[in-house]
Amino acid sequence: MATSSFSRGCFVFKPSAKKKKMTVGLERYFTHGSEGSESSEVRFKICLDLWNKVKMETEALQDELNRNILDSLLEFTRKCSSTRDHSDWASQMRASEIPTAALVLGVNVPDHDMTFQSLSDLLRHSVTPHVASLQAKECGALKHLMKRVLERLMGTVVAVGDEEEEELQQTDPELQKSVHCSLTALCDWYISKTKKSSCSAPGKKRSSSVVDGQHQQHPVVIIFKDLEAFNPRVLQDFILICSRYIQRLPLMFIFGIATSPSTIQHMLPNSVSSLLCIELFQSLSCTQHLTTVIDKLILTSSFPFKLSGKVMQVLVSIFLYHDFSVRNFIKGLQLALLEHFHSQPLSSLCCRKNEAQLNVQRLGPADLERIRQLPSFKRYLKEQEEQDNLMTDDAHLKDVCQKLIKDLHKYHKNYYPILRCLHCLTSSLPRYPLGKQIRELHLICLEKNVWESEDYQSAMKLLKMLAKGELISLLQTCAEVLQPVRSKKMKNALVQLEELLAKLKLLDAAAEVAPSVEENLTAPVRNLQKKTDLFQLQKMLLEMNESRRSKRMSPFEILRNEAVDFVDSLVKNHLSPPESKPLYEVCYYTSSATVRRHLNATPRTSIQAALSSPYSYIQNDSLKTEDGTVSNAAPDICIAYKLHLECGRLINLYDWLEAYSTVVSAAEGSNPDSDGFGKVDEVKHARFIRAVSELEFLGFIKATKKKTDHVARLTWGGC
């Protein structure tokens, strides 16, 4: 943070409370239950660095992806504010309407907050300081909408009525007199604000400016974040009121639309929509956004933490079939990152190559024993002759681990460029044999040897049928992918690829077929036109097949086959699954069930588990019971839930109450032989009513009209 001062001094910048709280929470999560404090501190540091890197890069990607549409919106606001003072007829007609930007963002609603926050900040810094953002949940009625607009623009307390104004003055006598809720008050405030700024000192920013010789006023921008959720009647009334003040107040609307621009026509009648001058703005689709995030953040060797195929499939499935939210996808990635570094003691090696080699030397005997127990290391051990030495000599094992970690980094450095090259070649083919998106190809490569699949083999056959221009274009794209990679193998591959391109460019544009070959091919076809029997037809077809096999290939076909074979060799050398590499467990998170359990919430299962076994949540020793039973000291709702499981479709409330009272009396230590044991008193009756009400609120029971003293059971089966 930059500072300036006339005197020397010490400046202290305290971190934000939110960031400090998050850091403390992560540190507690790592140190809780950890075996080695030094190892947990190293893993915590690496995890925190990667966490911050994910956050920073995703925010930068978000700003970069929204840059075009935000710049267009800024230009629109400047243009609308400058046309108000033009004297031509068209500008005057436009000035009588409220400029409105219809911003179509898509159905990924959780991501809209970041977009609108960036838009509000840009508008305040470069166009106008008068910006108000609204959400439907806080604008249920017209008076509430007007109040939110005035409060966020004027920065003062707004009273909806006289009674509310008196209450505000009584609660806080020092509070200044509140502003009446009307657009007249906003107009007066805007005029006074404009005059005050125009008369301010020359060094201060003025409220109006001159652009291209025209006097430009700062507009008043009102952003409706979720237009579909607003009450149509409230929105119509607000627009009608604002249209009466458009000559006194330079208003401008921004509608955040999640579905379709036709929403405006459905919500607003023609008499209201005619008061708006609407311009449409379309953002990138959420799938394009996800593709960019995966490409820049996951499919890169600079990010050491990796996801297995099943974990990535879970995150992509949640994105495609639940919310289309890239923000939630990033949260899932951060969850996997946190779980990996907490549950995998060897994750201290999941960092940059130099740091990982240093951390190998710091491994203790327990960590080295964990390395020996890794499935990938056991497979590697079977292929080595020095098995006994690796199992007994810790120093030698550390040296071997350093080499394996280095090889793992080299594997990632070569894997992603070849993956991009293969995607460039196959995504242009018809029907996309290996998937249109690069993430689909990546998932295939993570699960198995991609060259053994039928889709890959069909893709190679299709590549051997490409025309010269298409082949050269695709190979040039592959050369551009390999160009920035700093790897010896990739540099050698680039040299061979450039040699193939040079040979292809030297060939003539059209390759002629030899006449003798052409005659051999056309002669059997002419014979087929004559009448013949089945035996002769089979003989002629075999002759045609043999002639095609013996056909001499053209120079272009030879080079094309050579290029495809070269790509095939690169794929087989560098796109093997990560599970085939020793020590891949230190970088790859594989617990897809944990990610699915945390992200795919199942409220009913969680509630039933809590009611069936309250000890798992409360951690009270008195609640420990055998499986399938509930302690009589459990909360009332747990007892009522357990008793309701023993009933059928209809539950008699009186019988339920008596059973509950018996269980509670046993919990209170009453003598079972006494006369008052199990009797229902007022306290037990009230506790039972509350427990039944809570079960009804959670959706386990409901009232029924068949019998007034019964309730219907709604859920069946255990958790």
Side-chain angles (χ1 to χ4, degrees):
M1 185 181 296
T3 59
S4 60
S5 176
F6 290 105
S7 61
R8 294 186 178 183
C10 180
F11 298 92
V12 179
F13 300 103
K14 295 183 178 180
S16 62
K18 184 177 180 181
K19 182 177 180 182
K20 186 176 181 181
K21 186 177 180 180
M22 186 271 290
T23 305
V24 172
L26 286 176
E27 190 171 6
R28 288 179 179 175
Y29 183 69
F30 270 86
T31 56
H32 178 69
S34 59
E35 297 180 1
S37 59
E38 184 178 355
S39 175
S40 61
E41 289 178 1
V42 173
R43 287 185 283 130
F44 166 70
K45 182 180 179 301
I46 299 173
C47 179
L48 187 60
D49 292 341
L50 293 177
W51 182 292
N52 293 331
K53 183 178 180 180
V54 170
K55 183 179 178 182
M56 292 174 60
E57 292 196 8
T58 49
E59 290 176 354
L61 281 175
Q62 179 81 17
D63 293 339
E64 182 181 350
L65 291 171
N66 291 332
R67 180 60 54 192
N68 292 333
I69 190 170
L70 293 180
D71 290 344
S72 301
L73 281 169
L74 293 179
E75 185 62 27
F76 174 72
T77 55
R78 294 191 186 100
K79 181 181 67 175
C80 292
S81 60
S82 63
T83 55
R84 290 177 58 85
D85 295 328
H86 287 208
S87 58
D88 58 288
W89 180 83
S91 298
Q92 290 180 359
M93 290 300 296
R94 289 176 64 89
S96 63
E97 301 171 345
I98 302 176
T100 304
L103 179 57
V104 182
L105 294 173
V107 295
N108 49 334
V109 178
D111 298 342
H112 292 180
D113 289 338
M114 296 177 63
T115 303
F116 283 117
Q117 184 62 43
S118 301
L119 176 60
S120 301
D121 295 340
L122 287 173
L123 286 172
R124 288 190 179 96
H125 283 91
S126 57
V127 179
T128 174
H130 315 308
V131 181
S133 296
L134 304 175
Q135 283 185 308
K137 62 182 181 181
E138 57 188 9
C139 303
L142 179 61
K143 61 180 181 180
H144 297 145
L145 194 154
M146 296 281 290
K147 181 178 180 180
R148 297 291 182 270
V149 170
L150 268 64
E151 285 180 346
R152 285 167 190 178
L153 289 174
M154 301 170 63
T156 184
V157 179
V158 177
V160 177
D162 296 336
E163 296 180 356
E164 186 174 344
E165 185 175 353
E166 292 178 0
E167 289 180 3
L168 288 172
Q169 293 178 357
Q170 290 176 2
T171 53
D172 194 353
E174 298 181 358
L175 188 67
Q176 297 181 357
K177 188 176 181 180
S178 60
V179 178
H180 187 64
C181 186
S182 67
L183 282 187
T184 304
L186 183 61
C187 291
D188 296 339
W189 170 84
Y190 182 79
I191 293 172
S192 64
K193 199 80 173 176
T194 304
K195 289 181 179 179
K196 187 184 297 183
S197 299
S198 60
C199 298
S200 61
K204 294 184 179 180
K205 184 179 180 181
R206 300 194 173 202
S207 176
S208 59
S209 58
V210 178
V211 179
D212 297 332
Q214 297 294 335
H215 188 71
Q216 180 183 5
Q217 287 184 323
H218 289 316
V220 178
V221 181
I222 302 175
I223 302 175
F224 298 85
K225 291 184 177 180
D226 44 353
L227 183 70
E228 291 90 346
F230 276 85
N231 188 336
R233 189 62 190 173
V234 172
L235 195 61
Q236 294 170 24
D237 294 341
F238 181 73
I239 293 174
L240 288 171
I241 295 173
C242 291
S243 65
R244 299 178 180 273
Y245 291 86
I246 191 62
Q247 299 298 334
R248 299 172 55 190
L249 196 64
L251 287 168
M252 177 184 170
F253 295 157
I254 296 179
F255 290 161
I257 302 174
T259 54
S260 171
S262 61
T263 303
I264 300 177
Q265 299 176 357
H266 297 155
M267 296 183 66
L268 305 177
N270 292 334
S271 59
V272 178
S273 61
S274 61
L275 302 174
L276 304 176
C277 179
I278 302 175
E279 187 167 336
L280 183 64
F281 296 88
Q282 180 76 46
S283 68
L284 285 175
S285 66
C286 50
T287 53
Q288 291 176 323
H289 191 174
L290 177 69
T291 301
T292 306
V293 169
I294 292 177
D295 186 56
K296 301 292 185 181
L297 191 62
I298 296 179
L299 302 182
T300 173
S301 59
S302 61
F303 193 66
F305 173 70
K306 307 296 177 185
L307 299 176
S308 68
K310 291 183 179 180
V311 175
M312 191 169 176
Q313 186 63 53
V314 168
L315 296 180
V316 173
S317 299
I318 292 174
F319 172 85
L320 293 176
Y321 302 115
H322 286 78
D323 53 11
F324 290 103
S325 173
V326 179
R327 185 178 182 183
N328 289 343
F329 180 87
I330 297 300
K331 288 182 179 179
L333 175 62
Q334 291 177 328
L335 170 66
L337 175 71
L338 182 61
E339 287 289 335
H340 176 70
F341 279 91
H342 179 260
S343 60
Q344 177 56 268
L346 299 174
S347 57
S348 59
L349 308 180
C350 180
C351 52
R352 290 190 294 269
K353 181 173 66 175
N354 296 334
E355 294 180 3
Q357 291 181 348
L358 289 176
N359 291 336
V360 167
Q361 297 298 328
R362 299 173 182 171
L363 294 177
D367 293 327
L368 294 176
E369 187 60 32
R370 291 189 183 99
I371 290 178
R372 295 186 177 102
Q373 298 301 322
L374 290 177
S376 62
F377 187 79
K378 287 182 178 179
R379 290 195 298 268
Y380 169 79
L381 200 61
K382 292 179 181 179
E383 302 173 357
Q384 305 301 314
E385 298 179 355
E386 47 180 13
Q387 295 183 11
D388 296 337
N389 197 11
L390 287 172
M391 295 298 293
T392 56
D393 191 352
D394 290 349
H396 181 60
L397 178 61
K398 289 182 179 181
D399 295 337
V400 172
C401 287
Q402 282 188 330
K403 178 183 177 298
L404 294 178
I405 291 294
K406 187 177 180 180
D407 293 341
L408 189 62
H409 281 274
K410 288 182 179 179
Y411 163 75
H412 289 142
K413 207 168 186 178
N414 299 328
Y415 174 89
Y416 295 109
I418 302 302
L419 180 72
R420 297 181 194 280
C421 290
L422 182 60
H423 175 255
C424 291
L425 294 170
T426 58
S427 61
S428 61
L429 299 175
R431 297 185 181 181
Y432 316 110
L434 295 176
K436 184 178 180 181
Q437 303 292 341
I438 191 171
R439 66 170 182 267
E440 299 173 3
L441 176 59
H442 178 56
L443 289 174
I444 297 174
C445 295
L446 288 177
E447 294 175 358
K448 59 183 178 181
N449 294 328
V450 64
W451 58 86
E452 296 177 355
S453 63
E454 294 182 1
D455 293 336
Y456 175 83
Q457 295 171 6
S458 63
M460 292 297 106
K461 292 179 181 178
L462 289 173
L463 287 176
K464 292 183 179 180
M465 300 171 62
L466 289 177
K468 179 182 176 182
E470 295 177 350
L471 182 63
I472 291 176
S473 176
L474 292 175
L475 292 179
Q476 284 178 341
T477 306
C478 294
E480 293 174 0
V481 171
L482 298 178
Q483 186 71 38
V485 182
R486 297 181 179 179
S487 171
K488 291 182 179 179
K489 293 183 178 180
M490 293 299 101
K491 289 180 179 179
N492 295 333
L494 178 61
V495 171
Q496 298 180 40
L497 191 58
E498 289 177 345
E499 291 177 356
L500 286 171
L501 280 170
K503 292 178 182 179
L504 284 169
K505 292 177 182 178
L506 290 175
L507 292 175
D508 295 333
E512 298 182 357
V513 182
S516 59
V517 176
E518 186 176 359
E519 290 178 0
N520 293 333
L521 289 175
T522 56
V525 177
R526 293 169 186 166
N527 294 330
L528 284 175
Q529 297 175 356
K530 302 176 182 179
K531 292 183 179 180
T532 181
D533 56 9
L534 184 61
F535 177 76
Q536 290 178 348
L537 177 63
Q538 186 178 7
K539 181 180 179 182
M540 290 179 184
L541 290 174
L542 289 174
E543 290 177 357
M544 290 177 62
N545 193 21
E546 290 295 330
S547 63
R548 285 196 180 97
R549 290 181 180 177
S550 61
K551 185 188 73 168
R552 188 171 54 188
M553 291 190 297
S554 65
F556 167 68
E557 290 174 337
I558 295 173
L559 278 177
R560 182 175 59 188
N561 291 343
E562 185 180 349
V564 175
D565 292 339
F566 172 68
V567 172
D568 182 60
S569 65
L570 290 178
V571 170
K572 292 179 179 178
N573 289 333
H574 302 294
L575 287 190
S576 56
E579 293 183 1
S580 62
K581 303 299 176 183
L583 303 187
Y584 83 96
E585 292 94 343
V586 302
C587 294
Y588 284 82
Y589 180 69
T590 58
S591 181
S592 58
T594 303
V595 175
R596 185 183 290 108
R597 185 175 67 251
H598 284 296
L599 298 181
N600 261 357
T602 53
R604 179 188 164 190
T605 304
S606 301
I607 292 171
Q608 286 180 317
L611 296 177
S612 302
S613 57
Y615 172 76
S616 302
Y617 293 83
I618 302 178
Q619 297 293 322
N620 189 346
D621 293 336
S622 62
L623 300 179
K624 282 186 177 181
T625 58
E626 299 178 359
D627 294 338
T629 62
V630 175
S631 171
N632 52 16
D636 295 335
I637 188 175
C638 298
I639 298 174
Y641 171 78
K642 177 61 179 176
L643 293 173
H644 111 287
L645 292 178
E646 301 172 359
C647 302
R649 186 174 61 87
L650 293 178
I651 306 174
N652 189 308
L653 286 172
Y654 184 76
D655 295 340
W656 195 5
L657 172 61
E658 285 194 331
Y660 168 81
S661 179
T662 302
V663 175
V664 171
S665 298
E668 293 174 351
S670 303
N671 186 7
D673 298 330
S674 62
D675 295 337
F677 183 81
K679 296 292 183 179
V680 179
D681 55 16
E682 294 181 355
V683 176
K684 294 177 184 176
H685 193 191
R687 290 168 57 185
F688 174 75
I689 292 174
R690 184 178 64 178
V692 171
S693 300
E694 291 173 349
L695 288 176
E696 184 178 7
F697 175 75
L698 293 173
F700 288 95
I701 59 173
K702 73 170 184 178
T704 177
K705 295 181 180 179
K706 293 183 178 180
K707 294 183 179 181
T708 57
D709 58 343
H710 286 64
V711 292
R713 182 177 171 186
L714 298 179
T715 58
W716 299 90
C719 57

